[in-house]
Amino acid sequence: MFSPDDLPYFDPHTKRRVCFISGGNSGIGYYTVLHLYLHGYVVYLGGRNKNRVETAIQSLKQEALTRRKDPRQALGELYFLEIDLLNLSSVEKAMAEFKTREKTLHLLINNAGIMAVPFSLTKDNFEIQLQTNYISHFLITNRLLPLMLNPSLVQDPRIIYISSVGHWFTFFPFKMDYQFNYRPNIIFTWFRYGLAKTAGMQFINRVAKIHPQILCVSVHPGFVMNTNLFSHFTRLPFIGLLFWVFFQIFGYFFGISNEEGSYATLKCALSDELTPQKDNEKFFVSYGKEHQPSYLAKSSYYAANNWAWTVAELEKRGIKI
Ligand SMILES: NC(=O)c1ccc[n+]([C@@H]2O[C@H](COP(=O)([O-])OP(=O)(O)OC[C@H]3O[C@@H](n4cnc5c(N)ncnc54)[C@H](OP(=O)(O)O)[C@@H]3O)[C@@H](O)[C@H]2O)c1
């Protein structure tokens, strides 16, 4: 049985390893941060709400003290970094700030996400799920890559993209311009989610091709029904309660806890069994089991096209990659 306690520990005094994670203040991200902190990592939690992230950091520090197995093992460090994925200038600002604070990055976890929300456009004029789940992580990754590339300073760099089995919803070749802004939302919103997560996987696979020395993988954390990801449904007036009951029943049979939801990411982040040579472009699901992604997610052809589309779209908005 998988246990994060069996994964390697890095002493922050002798082997300082730095991680940036988007959205580490709740759900699966919270437990990912907890275990990285217990394993000695210096973790920057990128979040849009200072209060929520600082509260999470306090709670993580408390919890780590009670969970630490060996008090001789120093804990890592936790820092808040303000970033709103719905605003590309906030992403640029956060990345510039990160670079003033750190000169190296060992682990990048593109974790933050939203799921199946109604159609809307961000102020950068991207569909809201596309920008949160994909575009902003594309920008974050490109900005932080230079901090991962010097082998004399950074050993074993890793990038993990938190995708979903929901990437299968977009099972047909698509153009990145497709917005699926049709009714009923309850159906087409899943195409938008699937498109964003597929694009994210294609992009991370392309990073692996360009930088084969970096371990680049995608993860589906499992069905984790008690995170905030489902709050759009459970907060709907009247029918929200029905959704909540449905999610609880589904979770009872098929779900895992928020903490177990972090295990696949933790295995990809910490296990010394994974190497770029043998594991790049792989897709891992609950508990870090390997799984086949959709043929579109694997496609180098679509990955190259979608990369070019994204670079061009960012350039139209004054952002050079
Ligand atoms: N739960 C599941 O069953 C499941 C299944 C497959 C994949 N996933 C993926 O797992 C990842 C984590 O989800 P979760 O279940 O842990 O949900 P969650 O509790 O809602 O966590 C999502 C995190 O993303 C952050 N976030 C969302 N929009 C943001 C923005 N505009 N700027 C900055 N941060 C933002 C949230 O911050 P705020 O607190 O500020 O909103 C939160 O920290 C997501 O990518 C999701 O798609 C989850």
PDB file of all heavy atoms in Angstrom, residues 25 48-57 80:
ATOM      1  N   ASN A  25      -3.963  25.830  -1.262  1.00  0.00           N
ATOM      2  CA  ASN A  25      -4.639  26.182  -0.012  1.00  0.00           C
ATOM      3  C   ASN A  25      -5.846  25.317   0.307  1.00  0.00           C
ATOM      4  O   ASN A  25      -6.406  25.419   1.401  1.00  0.00           O
ATOM      5  CB  ASN A  25      -5.046  27.664  -0.007  1.00  0.00           C
ATOM      6  CG  ASN A  25      -5.994  28.003  -1.135  1.00  0.00           C
ATOM      7  OD1 ASN A  25      -5.599  27.997  -2.297  1.00  0.00           O
ATOM      8  ND2 ASN A  25      -7.238  28.278  -0.817  1.00  0.00           N
ATOM      9  N   ARG A  48      -4.923  33.194  -4.932  1.00  0.00           N
ATOM     10  CA  ARG A  48      -5.465  34.528  -5.240  1.00  0.00           C
ATOM     11  C   ARG A  48      -5.980  35.251  -4.015  1.00  0.00           C
ATOM     12  O   ARG A  48      -6.275  36.443  -4.085  1.00  0.00           O
ATOM     13  CB  ARG A  48      -6.589  34.392  -6.262  1.00  0.00           C
ATOM     14  CG  ARG A  48      -7.697  33.447  -5.815  1.00  0.00           C
ATOM     15  CD  ARG A  48      -8.747  33.277  -6.895  1.00  0.00           C
ATOM     16  NE  ARG A  48      -9.464  32.022  -6.714  1.00  0.00           N
ATOM     17  CZ  ARG A  48     -10.442  31.628  -7.485  1.00  0.00           C
ATOM     18  NH1 ARG A  48     -10.821  32.385  -8.481  1.00  0.00           N
ATOM     19  NH2 ARG A  48     -11.043  30.476  -7.271  1.00  0.00           N
ATOM     20  N   ASN A  49      -6.135  34.506  -2.908  1.00  0.00           N
ATOM     21  CA  ASN A  49      -6.718  35.130  -1.724  1.00  0.00           C
ATOM     22  C   ASN A  49      -5.750  34.973  -0.554  1.00  0.00           C
ATOM     23  O   ASN A  49      -5.576  33.882  -0.017  1.00  0.00           O
ATOM     24  CB  ASN A  49      -8.071  34.457  -1.426  1.00  0.00           C
ATOM     25  CG  ASN A  49      -8.770  35.083  -0.239  1.00  0.00           C
ATOM     26  OD1 ASN A  49      -8.204  35.172   0.852  1.00  0.00           O
ATOM     27  ND2 ASN A  49      -9.991  35.519  -0.454  1.00  0.00           N
ATOM     28  N   LYS A  50      -5.132  36.111  -0.174  1.00  0.00           N
ATOM     29  CA  LYS A  50      -4.068  36.067   0.845  1.00  0.00           C
ATOM     30  C   LYS A  50      -4.577  35.431   2.136  1.00  0.00           C
ATOM     31  O   LYS A  50      -3.908  34.585   2.742  1.00  0.00           O
ATOM     32  CB  LYS A  50      -3.577  37.496   1.098  1.00  0.00           C
ATOM     33  CG  LYS A  50      -2.448  37.567   2.074  1.00  0.00           C
ATOM     34  CD  LYS A  50      -1.825  38.938   2.108  1.00  0.00           C
ATOM     35  CE  LYS A  50      -0.578  38.801   2.901  1.00  0.00           C
ATOM     36  NZ  LYS A  50      -0.021  39.685   3.651  1.00  0.00           N
ATOM     37  N   ASN A  51      -5.771  35.832   2.529  1.00  0.00           N
ATOM     38  CA  ASN A  51      -6.322  35.336   3.790  1.00  0.00           C
ATOM     39  C   ASN A  51      -6.476  33.809   3.768  1.00  0.00           C
ATOM     40  O   ASN A  51      -6.076  33.105   4.697  1.00  0.00           O
ATOM     41  CB  ASN A  51      -7.660  36.040   4.036  1.00  0.00           C
ATOM     42  CG  ASN A  51      -8.172  35.754   5.416  1.00  0.00           C
ATOM     43  OD1 ASN A  51      -7.385  35.596   6.347  1.00  0.00           O
ATOM     44  ND2 ASN A  51      -9.479  35.633   5.538  1.00  0.00           N
ATOM     45  N   ARG A  52      -7.045  33.304   2.672  1.00  0.00           N
ATOM     46  CA  ARG A  52      -7.252  31.843   2.571  1.00  0.00           C
ATOM     47  C   ARG A  52      -5.916  31.100   2.592  1.00  0.00           C
ATOM     48  O   ARG A  52      -5.767  30.079   3.247  1.00  0.00           O
ATOM     49  CB  ARG A  52      -7.989  31.501   1.277  1.00  0.00           C
ATOM     50  CG  ARG A  52      -9.496  31.632   1.386  1.00  0.00           C
ATOM     51  CD  ARG A  52     -10.202  30.763   0.344  1.00  0.00           C
ATOM     52  NE  ARG A  52     -10.031  31.202  -1.019  1.00  0.00           N
ATOM     53  CZ  ARG A  52     -10.819  32.052  -1.659  1.00  0.00           C
ATOM     54  NH1 ARG A  52     -11.846  32.560  -1.029  1.00  0.00           N
ATOM     55  NH2 ARG A  52     -10.602  32.379  -2.908  1.00  0.00           N
ATOM     56  N   VAL A  53      -4.922  31.641   1.880  1.00  0.00           N
ATOM     57  CA  VAL A  53      -3.640  30.924   1.800  1.00  0.00           C
ATOM     58  C   VAL A  53      -2.888  31.021   3.129  1.00  0.00           C
ATOM     59  O   VAL A  53      -2.347  30.020   3.619  1.00  0.00           O
ATOM     60  CB  VAL A  53      -2.771  31.443   0.623  1.00  0.00           C
ATOM     61  CG1 VAL A  53      -1.472  30.657   0.544  1.00  0.00           C
ATOM     62  CG2 VAL A  53      -3.528  31.329  -0.690  1.00  0.00           C
ATOM     63  N   GLU A  54      -2.908  32.212   3.745  1.00  0.00           N
ATOM     64  CA  GLU A  54      -2.195  32.358   5.032  1.00  0.00           C
ATOM     65  C   GLU A  54      -2.848  31.469   6.100  1.00  0.00           C
ATOM     66  O   GLU A  54      -2.151  30.873   6.926  1.00  0.00           O
ATOM     67  CB  GLU A  54      -2.171  33.820   5.500  1.00  0.00           C
ATOM     68  CG  GLU A  54      -1.367  34.770   4.606  1.00  0.00           C
ATOM     69  CD  GLU A  54       0.151  34.606   4.713  1.00  0.00           C
ATOM     70  OE1 GLU A  54       0.626  33.611   5.286  1.00  0.00           O
ATOM     71  OE2 GLU A  54       0.870  35.477   4.173  1.00  0.00           O
ATOM     72  N   THR A  55      -4.181  31.367   6.076  1.00  0.00           N
ATOM     73  CA  THR A  55      -4.873  30.492   7.029  1.00  0.00           C
ATOM     74  C   THR A  55      -4.456  29.036   6.796  1.00  0.00           C
ATOM     75  O   THR A  55      -4.190  28.281   7.735  1.00  0.00           O
ATOM     76  CB  THR A  55      -6.414  30.634   6.879  1.00  0.00           C
ATOM     77  OG1 THR A  55      -6.731  32.009   7.003  1.00  0.00           O
ATOM     78  CG2 THR A  55      -7.168  29.838   7.918  1.00  0.00           C
ATOM     79  N   ALA A  56      -4.384  28.659   5.508  1.00  0.00           N
ATOM     80  CA  ALA A  56      -3.957  27.286   5.176  1.00  0.00           C
ATOM     81  C   ALA A  56      -2.527  27.055   5.669  1.00  0.00           C
ATOM     82  O   ALA A  56      -2.212  25.982   6.218  1.00  0.00           O
ATOM     83  CB  ALA A  56      -4.062  27.049   3.677  1.00  0.00           C
ATOM     84  N   ILE A  57      -1.663  28.045   5.510  1.00  0.00           N
ATOM     85  CA  ILE A  57      -0.261  27.873   5.929  1.00  0.00           C
ATOM     86  C   ILE A  57      -0.184  27.658   7.445  1.00  0.00           C
ATOM     87  O   ILE A  57       0.542  26.769   7.925  1.00  0.00           O
ATOM     88  CB  ILE A  57       0.600  29.085   5.463  1.00  0.00           C
ATOM     89  CG1 ILE A  57       0.782  29.026   3.941  1.00  0.00           C
ATOM     90  CG2 ILE A  57       1.951  29.107   6.177  1.00  0.00           C
ATOM     91  CD1 ILE A  57       1.592  30.166   3.332  1.00  0.00           C
ATOM     92  N   PHE A  80       3.514  32.247   0.963  1.00  0.00           N
ATOM     93  CA  PHE A  80       2.402  32.649   0.092  1.00  0.00           C
ATOM     94  C   PHE A  80       2.940  33.454  -1.091  1.00  0.00           C
ATOM     95  O   PHE A  80       3.788  34.317  -0.910  1.00  0.00           O
ATOM     96  CB  PHE A  80       1.425  33.511   0.911  1.00  0.00           C
ATOM     97  CG  PHE A  80       0.440  34.292   0.082  1.00  0.00           C
ATOM     98  CD1 PHE A  80      -0.438  33.649  -0.781  1.00  0.00           C
ATOM     99  CD2 PHE A  80       0.385  35.683   0.168  1.00  0.00           C
ATOM    100  CE1 PHE A  80      -1.347  34.373  -1.546  1.00  0.00           C
ATOM    101  CE2 PHE A  80      -0.530  36.407  -0.582  1.00  0.00           C
ATOM    102  CZ  PHE A  80      -1.392  35.756  -1.443  1.00  0.00           C
TER     103      PHE A  80
END
